[in-house]
DNA sequence: TCGCGAATTTAGGTATACCTAATTCTTAGG
DNA sequence: CCTAAGAATTAGGTATACCTAAATTCGCGA
């Protein structure tokens, strides 16, 4: 490194690797393969190996990495990853609640900004929003001290796995597909709203949302993005 | 360029060069020297030459550059520079008005975020703020169509150039020094507020602000950052 | 237990945006 | 009008974060 250049770990890129590892290792926190990371990040496997070697060798190492045996986050890697997720979900909530963004535009903007906001910005939007527990999709927001909050033990199920008609509460939905999000929003689907499943056919679902009696047809595609909580009959 | 890589002009770095040229070329839009840019951007002169050559050679060239004769913005360069300045000043206003930032923290955050917000974000905060004309320092905000708005012709003078006691209106102040900003704010100085100059000594100034009769001593240092409008006697 | 195919790693390269050192150009003063 | 100081440019290098292609290594099934 030449004089006048500072080591800049903690780049956008590093953040994205950490987030991807966090996501892929899941609740079990198991090892993540290079291939899985490569696919999620849309980056060649060789590039992933390279980056992981750097992350592991960093002065304060962000991942535990052994050749041919996959990666896991280290304690500090996990802390950083959760901080970025906190940024992401707070920004989404802020865009939705304060700036009246359409729900399907919230993810892309947050994906960029999450890397560049300061601690102060984080603190101010959290305050403005009253320290929200979930984002507009119903996903839990990690706490300021870098932990994922426990959720009340809920009996969760994807709509696509529902096999009998009945009453449910909407827990959360994926932020992946813009089209699905538009559709979901158009039906009035939102976290903590009641969903009544009228019929489940192999091709799709008939549901009503909230107090409305209007019936919507949802495809299996959409149903895979909807996470519900069973309500007692 | 390898397959799978897209040309990414319009980087943060490019934006900063364009802003610096805009600033240094001033109202007269005269040519800017490599040395001046090098000093403003804290980058070696050789790096500046390099970057300018790229900017001039780009498919849609952002600057007019001739070896040994300095640079000027092209029409599209100027448009882009003004867009970034618009982002900067809107973000500053937003942080100050909506997120209750202290005025001395507004510049640094905006300096980072200005490069990463989308058109939608710009549009939404502008709407939220009611399309403000000036930022919290009193600086004019370029319009959506990329022009610097005309200001009413005002008879402007720096406090440091004032030689006789009298009444003035505060037009704007520099966002450069955090210390100066704190001091300025503590005195209640803000755009469009009345300032009464009681005494101007070679070492400093005695002033009162707004309706208050309290007297503040301002150093020449601070006075150089304060732009005033003369009020008729 | 051996070998083959998939996963991973190494080796070598590109573009960006910097840097220093060496060279060339400009121009202002004698 | 000529020269030397200072400005600008060229040449050659660094770090980051990618890439492709060519080795490796692992582990599963015959």
């Amino acid at each position: 490194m030449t004089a006048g250049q500072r080591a800049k770990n903690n780049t956008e890129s590093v953040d994205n690797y950490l987030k991807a590892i966090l996501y892929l290792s899941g609740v079990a926190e198991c090892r993540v393969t290079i291939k899985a990371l490569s696919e999620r990040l849309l980056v060649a496997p060789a590039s992933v190996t390279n980056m992981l070697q750097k992350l592991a060798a960093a002065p304060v190492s962000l991942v535990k990495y052994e050749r041919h045996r996959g990666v896991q986050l280290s304690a500090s890697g996990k802390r950083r990853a959760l901080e970025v997720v906190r940024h992401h979900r707070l920004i989404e909530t802020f865009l939705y609640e304060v700036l009246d963004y359409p729900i399907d535009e919230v993810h892309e903007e947050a994906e960029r900004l999450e890397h560049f906001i300061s601690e102060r910005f984080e603190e101010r939007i959290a305050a403005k929003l009253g320290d929200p527990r979930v984002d507009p999709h119903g996903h839990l927001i990690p706490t300021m001290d870098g932990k994922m909050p426990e959720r009340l033990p809920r009996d969760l199920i994807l709509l696509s796995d529902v096999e009998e008609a009945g009453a449910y509460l909407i827990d959360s939905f994926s932020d992946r597909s813009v089209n699905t999000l538009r559709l979901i929003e158009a039906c009035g689907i939102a976290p903590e709203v009641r969903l009544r499943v009228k019929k489940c056919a192999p091709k799709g679902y008939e549901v009503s949302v909230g107090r409305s009696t209007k019936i919507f047809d949802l495809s299996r595609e959409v149903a895979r993005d909807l996470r519900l909580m069973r309500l007692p009959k």
Side-chain angles (χ1 to χ4, degrees), chain A:
Chain A
M1 198 169 327
T2 321
Q5 312 235 113
R6 54 264 172 282
K8 55 158 180 177
N9 249 8
N10 282 54
T11 17
E12 200 181 333
S13 209
V14 171
D15 285 351
N16 287 332
Y17 276 87
L18 297 178
K19 270 204 309 176
I21 298 169
L22 181 70
Y23 176 80
L24 293 169
S25 68
V27 190
E29 309 214 354
C30 54
R31 289 167 185 287
V32 174
T33 65
I34 269 71
K35 188 165 181 263
L37 278 170
S38 152
E39 277 162 7
R40 183 161 176 90
L41 294 168
L42 301 177
V43 146
S47 307
V48 174
T49 299
N50 233 269
M51 179 61 110
L52 294 182
Q53 288 171 345
K54 264 186 274 181
L55 293 187
V60 35
S61 94
L62 296 166
V63 299
K64 282 173 277 186
Y65 165 72
E66 288 170 275
R67 308 166 89 254
H68 295 281
R69 337 196 70 248
V71 252
Q72 268 180 304
L73 293 176
S74 71
S76 35
K78 191 174 171 194
R79 205 180 319 116
R80 176 64 191 158
L82 283 170
E83 201 193 323
V84 179
V85 172
R86 175 172 164 85
H87 283 184
H88 183 99
R89 294 186 177 167
L90 277 176
I91 293 171
E92 285 190 338
T93 312
F94 182 74
L95 296 175
Y96 189 71
E97 298 287 342
V98 178
L99 295 185
D100 293 314
Y101 263 57
I103 188 131
D104 57 296
E105 291 187 23
V106 133
H107 176 75
E108 191 191 325
E109 187 92 41
E111 193 69 15
R112 231 175 320 108
L113 295 185
E114 63 186 7
H115 309 290
F116 306 111
I117 67 170
S118 65
E119 289 298 298
R120 170 130 258 156
F121 193 95
E122 174 192 322
E123 172 247 308
R124 299 275 65 214
I125 61 177
K128 186 102 196 163
L129 295 165
D131 283 307
R133 209 183 54 86
V134 296
D135 74 13
H137 311 98
H139 298 309
L140 292 167
I141 299 175
T143 59
M144 214 147 47
D145 57 324
K147 286 182 189 119
M148 187 61 89
E150 289 299 319
R151 78 156 86 226
L152 298 176
R154 282 180 160 188
D155 188 8
L156 295 179
I157 184 174
L158 292 180
L159 175 55
S160 56
D161 292 332
V162 167
E163 289 182 338
E164 48 176 338
Y168 297 82
L169 201 65
I170 294 155
D171 175 79
S172 60
F173 45 84
S174 158
D175 55 8
R176 214 63 76 69
S177 152
V178 166
N179 286 328
T180 300
L181 285 170
R182 288 210 188 111
L183 215 147
I184 279 176
E185 166 138 276
C187 301
I189 289 173
E192 306 303 316
V193 166
R194 266 170 64 99
L195 187 93
R196 187 171 288 279
V197 179
K198 304 288 191 184
K199 255 197 218 162
C200 13
K203 292 187 216 149
Y205 299 81
E206 283 184 10
V207 304
S208 68
V209 180
R211 295 201 188 99
S212 156
T213 57
K214 203 161 165 189
I215 305 272
F216 296 100
D217 282 313
L218 300 181
S219 66
R220 289 197 65 81
E221 165 78 34
V222 170
R224 263 192 296 273
D225 279 352
L226 259 187
R227 194 173 298 277
L228 309 175
M229 176 181 137
R230 272 184 233 278
L231 287 181
K233 291 184 188 173

